[in-house]
Amino acid sequence: MEATPVPDGQYTAAVYGLIRAGRCGEAAALLSRELQRSSRSRGGLSLLGYCYYQLQDFAAAAECYEQLVAMHPELDAYRLYLAQALYKAGLYAEALRAASPLLDQPAYQGRALRLQAAVHYAQGDLAAAKSLVEEALAADGGSGAAEDPSERADAEINLGCLLYRQGRHEEASGKFAGAMQVLGYCPELSYNIALCCYATKQYAPALKHISDIIERGIHQHPELSVGLTTEGIDVRSVGNTLLLHRTVLVEAFNLKAAIEYQLHNLKAAQEALTDMPPRAEEELDPVTLHNQALINMDTQPTEGFEKLQFLLLQNPCPPETFGNLLLLYCKHQYYDLAADVLAENAHLTYKLLTPYLYNFLDAVITCQTAPEEAFHKLDDAAGMLTEQLRKLTKQIQEARQNWDDEAVKKAVNEYDETLDKYIPVLMVQAKIYWDMKNYTMVEKIFRKSVEFCNEHEVWKLNVAHVLFMQENKYKEAISFYEPIVKKHYDNILDVSAIVLANLCVSYILTSQNEDAEELMRKIEKGEEQLSYDDPDKNIYHLCIVNLVIGTLYCVKGNYDFGISRVIKSLEPYNKKLSTDTWYYAKRCFLSLLENMSKHMIMLRDSVIQECVQFLKQCELHGRNIPAVIEQPLEENRMHSGKNTVTYEARHLRALMYKIVGWTA
């Protein structure tokens, strides 16, 4: 930031005026320029360190205080400021060394102990942190208890943080609530209570505390531009000021995004991230960067991987980064990259991954080279988890018999958490045989787990899919698909298009044509209503249902009807043509052309003419539509001119002309 020229004699007043107005960036620029002339100015260095600290540039602040400690070793205040800046910069060993001499100074002993406790807490050494907190409490109170209520509240907050890390969330919440009664409303404490509620899955009270923080932040500091980015208003960055830090708005919005993400409200989670005070990307804190990567992974996978890879190299980084990056690599089938990251970060494996998650990732990666070995690893994990589920089921029954609501609640929560671990293990086991197209074995695996999973949505959906794929169990597939659809019947478009398509096909193949037609009418009405509410939104549900039905007829050899159904499903082209719909359509056309080239089928000229006109329309409307969504980390990218629906449609049309002997 360029410093404004200051008239002679007004330098001190200008600096203090800028700091008083909260313009620490400009003050820092002015001080930096002045210190080039007089580098040993104690007042200038002290103010510059203060400005950098306010701007949360803690490394730069530490440099200033390091110079001041060297110039004035007799002033312990600078040593404390140096230790605080180093701690905030994540330089924990250096912070401990800087704070050590202060332990012998009665005036600074309590603060130095609390700072060292914070360092050990950040490093995960909870025993050392607790010991130091208790020692600081004794040092402040002189007789084992702090006499100053604010210092007692500070000690309670520290103990609350320790309890939180130990998983004793309700006790921690009580400590924070007690401290707030002494200190009055404090956004940091309100956030801590919300975090405890989040950890115990009490999302409603957590959102209430978050709402209080946000409302107060908006009311007290309108200059922080909360919510303007979501509304599409272009606003300047508010920077990483200490004011922003004290409002806890960034933390509150991140927690709100996490809760909405857990509740599968992806749009609300994305809005929570854009609602927070605007900052430039280079100013974003690690937690915000992590949440942006995770929540926008479906639409911006390349950027998401870049952010997570960048965070993994930072110290410190959100502890969830390591596990989430590995899981996302596996989800996108980058198994080699996942294996490399595991090998390169062995020190993080034991620190940041639970034994369950490590064993799960190890099995998923092993699937690619040794599926049998992976299956046995997964089977061992599944066996342990089913044993836990049986024990918890017994605990729930006993607690209900004893009318112990608290024990029931605790056991049910543990059961749900264990089931959430069991389902992914089960699905990876099933996928091993699914990839081999051994659907009978997949069904057998699912049936073994019916004792625990029969009410789980993911399990029911995958059972439906595997029954559908066996081609002789359509009635059984209907019995699983129907409850899923009926659950969302009033909002039919909330159901996945492929589920609706498979249910329609199952109806048709079991001669329940009226049910299929009724479902398609329901989808059509839903699309009409959504088009009325949001005319610019493209909806593909009915299109995909018709495409799947058309594909079914093509597979059965009825190309006249099947291709006509495919063509009509994509009208109007400007609304229905997309990468996904083109994928289904082109498969039918490739199958048609293959059979025509082998002289296995003959088409009427009118149908061929209809096909040509369809492909011309796809050429016209497909210029900016990718034919294939490339993998986010793909090194060898397709030629941009070839990866379009237009290019592929033109190629198919040329093949059709060649096979039927027409000229363009």
Side-chain angles (χ1 to χ4, degrees):
M1 186 178 292
E2 192 66 31
T4 307
V6 177
D8 291 338
Q10 297 182 27
Y11 174 77
T12 303
V15 170
Y16 279 103
L18 288 169
I19 292 173
R20 197 179 305 112
R23 296 156 64 185
C24 291
E26 294 175 54
L30 190 60
L31 287 162
S32 297
R33 190 179 67 182
E34 194 63 26
L35 283 167
Q36 288 175 357
R37 302 178 194 168
S38 177
S39 61
R40 296 185 64 79
S41 167
R42 174 184 160 187
L45 275 171
S46 181
L47 285 169
L48 184 59
Y50 173 83
C51 289
Y52 280 139
Y53 197 92
Q54 294 290 315
L55 294 166
Q56 298 197 60
D57 188 349
F58 301 116
E63 285 182 23
C64 294
Y65 291 125
E66 193 170 14
Q67 291 180 56
L68 286 163
V69 168
M71 289 162 55
H72 301 280
E74 74 282 2
L75 296 175
D76 292 324
Y78 290 137
R79 193 175 297 279
L80 179 65
Y81 300 154
L82 170 62
Q84 288 173 334
L86 289 168
Y87 161 66
K88 289 286 191 179
L91 301 169
Y92 299 132
E94 293 86 342
L96 288 172
R97 280 198 298 271
S100 289
L102 298 173
L103 297 174
D104 299 326
Q105 306 297 324
Y108 292 97
Q109 186 185 18
R111 281 181 282 180
L113 285 168
R114 284 196 293 273
L115 180 60
Q116 289 194 331
V119 171
H120 286 296
Y121 180 83
Q123 291 177 317
D125 188 352
L126 301 185
K130 185 179 181 183
S131 173
L132 287 163
V133 166
E134 290 169 349
E135 192 178 340
L137 189 58
D140 288 334
S143 61
E147 295 172 2
D148 184 345
S150 65
E151 289 182 351
R152 162 57 70 180
D154 188 51
E156 290 291 293
I157 293 167
N158 289 335
L159 290 171
C161 292
L162 288 164
L163 288 167
Y164 178 84
R165 285 286 287 271
Q166 291 167 355
R168 295 156 67 182
H169 302 114
E170 290 185 3
E171 293 175 63
S173 182
K175 293 285 186 186
F176 298 136
M180 201 185 297
Q181 287 179 349
V182 175
L183 300 173
Y185 182 83
C186 173
E188 285 186 5
L189 290 175
S190 189
Y191 170 76
N192 288 353
I193 295 169
L195 202 58
C196 292
C197 293
Y198 171 74
T200 54
K201 297 187 178 179
Q202 298 177 51
Y203 296 139
L207 288 169
K208 173 67 173 65
H209 287 290
I210 291 167
S211 178
D212 290 343
I213 295 168
I214 293 169
E215 285 175 14
R216 285 172 184 264
I218 293 170
H219 178 70
Q220 295 172 2
H221 300 286
E223 70 276 14
L224 292 177
S225 306
V226 170
L228 296 185
T229 304
T230 302
E231 293 172 12
I233 300 170
D234 191 17
V235 286
R236 289 179 60 188
S237 165
V238 299
N240 279 318
T241 61
L242 203 59
L243 169 66
L244 177 63
H245 177 67
R246 284 173 179 157
T247 62
V248 199
L249 282 168
V250 168
E251 291 84 351
F253 278 116
N254 271 315
L255 185 55
K256 184 180 180 184
I259 291 171
E260 297 293 359
Y261 186 78
Q262 291 292 339
L263 296 172
H264 307 292
N265 300 328
L266 195 58
K267 188 176 179 182
Q270 290 168 337
E271 283 185 3
L273 292 181
T274 53
D275 276 346
M276 70 172 59
R279 292 171 294 165
E281 188 166 51
E282 62 272 13
E283 295 174 329
L284 295 178
D285 58 285
V287 174
T288 302
L289 207 62
H290 170 272
N291 289 347
Q292 281 187 351
L294 204 61
I295 289 171
N296 297 312
M297 201 71 192
D298 288 343
T299 54
Q300 299 174 328
T302 304
E303 293 86 341
F305 278 120
E306 286 173 356
K307 287 173 182 175
L308 293 173
Q309 289 161 351
F310 168 78
L311 285 172
L312 196 59
L313 300 174
Q314 306 308 301
N315 183 29
C317 74
E320 296 83 5
T321 304
F322 187 48
N324 284 337
L325 179 60
L326 290 167
L327 287 169
L328 287 165
Y329 275 150
C330 291
K331 179 183 176 181
H332 287 79
Q333 300 185 6
Y334 292 121
Y335 302 109
D336 291 344
L337 285 176
D340 290 345
V341 169
L342 267 176
E344 290 165 8
N345 297 278
H347 62 293
L348 296 178
T349 300
Y350 301 102
K351 184 179 177 183
L352 300 179
L353 298 184
T354 62
Y356 160 79
L357 184 54
Y358 174 76
N359 292 332
F360 176 75
L361 288 164
D362 179 49
V364 171
I365 293 166
T366 306
C367 280
Q368 313 318 305
T369 51
E372 285 187 15
E373 181 186 343
F375 188 87
H376 289 306
K377 286 182 178 181
L378 291 163
D379 213 32
D380 291 341
M384 287 189 289
L385 290 166
T386 52
E387 188 61 33
Q388 288 178 33
L389 288 167
R390 287 193 180 98
K391 285 180 182 177
L392 288 165
T393 303
K394 188 177 178 183
Q395 286 178 24
I396 293 168
Q397 290 170 348
E398 289 174 355
R400 282 178 176 156
Q401 287 170 1
N402 297 328
W403 299 93
D404 189 342
D405 292 341
E406 195 60 36
V408 170
K409 182 181 171 184
K410 184 182 176 185
V412 167
N413 284 339
E414 285 184 31
Y415 183 93
D416 290 341
E417 287 174 10
T418 307
L419 186 60
D420 286 342
K421 291 179 181 178
Y422 178 58
I423 288 289
V425 171
L426 185 69
M427 292 305 151
V428 176
Q429 278 188 298
K431 187 177 183 297
I432 292 171
Y433 285 100
W434 180 279
D435 291 342
M436 298 175 185
K437 294 185 169 51
N438 188 346
Y439 302 121
T440 305
M441 191 63 190
V442 176
E443 184 186 350
K444 185 179 176 183
I445 290 168
F446 285 149
R447 291 203 181 280
K448 278 171 61 180
S449 59
V450 70
E451 176 186 355
F452 309 108
C453 305
N454 62 329
E455 295 300 321
H456 201 284
E457 293 295 322
V458 172
W459 182 86
K460 289 191 283 188
L461 178 63
N462 282 285
V463 170
H465 287 331
V466 78
L467 291 169
F468 179 84
M469 291 300 293
Q470 291 180 66
E471 298 186 356
N472 60 350
K473 295 186 177 179
Y474 292 114
K475 284 188 177 178
E476 292 93 325
I478 289 170
S479 70
F480 281 93
Y481 279 132
E482 270 186 344
I484 297 169
V485 173
K486 285 179 179 176
K487 184 179 177 181
H488 302 279
Y489 204 67
D490 292 336
N491 298 296
I492 194 78
L493 300 184
D494 289 346
V495 183
S496 166
I498 201 64
V499 169
L500 296 172
N502 286 357
L503 181 55
C504 273
V505 168
S506 299
Y507 280 146
I508 291 166
L509 292 173
T510 54
S511 303
Q512 300 178 59
N513 291 357
E514 288 183 8
D515 291 329
E517 288 170 10
E518 184 186 342
L519 180 59
M520 293 179 75
R521 280 195 296 270
K522 181 67 176 174
I523 298 167
E524 190 172 6
K525 284 179 183 176
E527 290 195 355
E528 285 173 0
Q529 182 60 47
L530 194 58
S531 295
Y532 179 78
D533 296 337
D534 187 358
D536 296 327
K537 186 171 183 179
N538 292 340
I539 315 144
Y540 302 106
H541 280 64
L542 190 61
C543 172
I544 289 175
V545 170
N546 279 312
L547 281 167
V548 171
I549 293 170
T551 303
L552 170 70
Y553 279 97
C554 290
V555 168
K556 300 291 184 184
N558 188 349
Y559 283 97
D560 276 20
F561 181 81
I563 286 291
S564 295
R565 188 92 182 212
V566 167
I567 290 170
K568 285 182 173 59
S569 70
L570 285 169
E571 295 172 355
Y573 299 98
N574 62 326
K575 291 279 187 182
K576 302 298 183 186
L577 187 60
S578 70
T579 304
D580 287 339
T581 55
W582 174 246
Y583 169 78
Y584 286 104
K586 71 182 176 186
R587 290 175 70 198
C588 293
F589 274 84
L590 285 167
S591 172
L592 170 67
L593 291 169
E594 182 184 7
N595 281 294
M596 286 174 67
S597 66
K598 293 176 179 177
H599 303 290
M600 293 174 69
I601 58 167
M602 293 289 291
L603 285 185
R604 292 176 285 112
D605 283 356
S606 60
V607 177
I608 293 173
Q609 190 63 48
E610 191 180 3
C611 291
V612 169
Q613 291 304 314
F614 167 75
L615 293 170
K616 284 182 177 179
Q617 288 296 319
C618 291
E619 285 180 50
L620 183 64
H621 293 93
R623 295 183 187 280
N624 299 315
I625 300 172
V628 176
I629 301 296
E630 295 184 87
Q631 287 289 342
L633 301 180
E634 190 65 51
E635 291 183 6
N636 300 318
R637 296 278 174 184
M638 293 175 66
H639 190 286
S640 58
K642 291 184 177 180
N643 188 22
T644 64
V645 170
T646 294
Y647 177 84
E648 290 192 353
R650 187 177 295 133
H651 199 58
L652 287 172
R653 187 158 61 91
L655 285 172
M656 181 158 280
Y657 284 151
K658 186 174 181 180
I659 289 167
V660 299
W662 290 8
T663 55

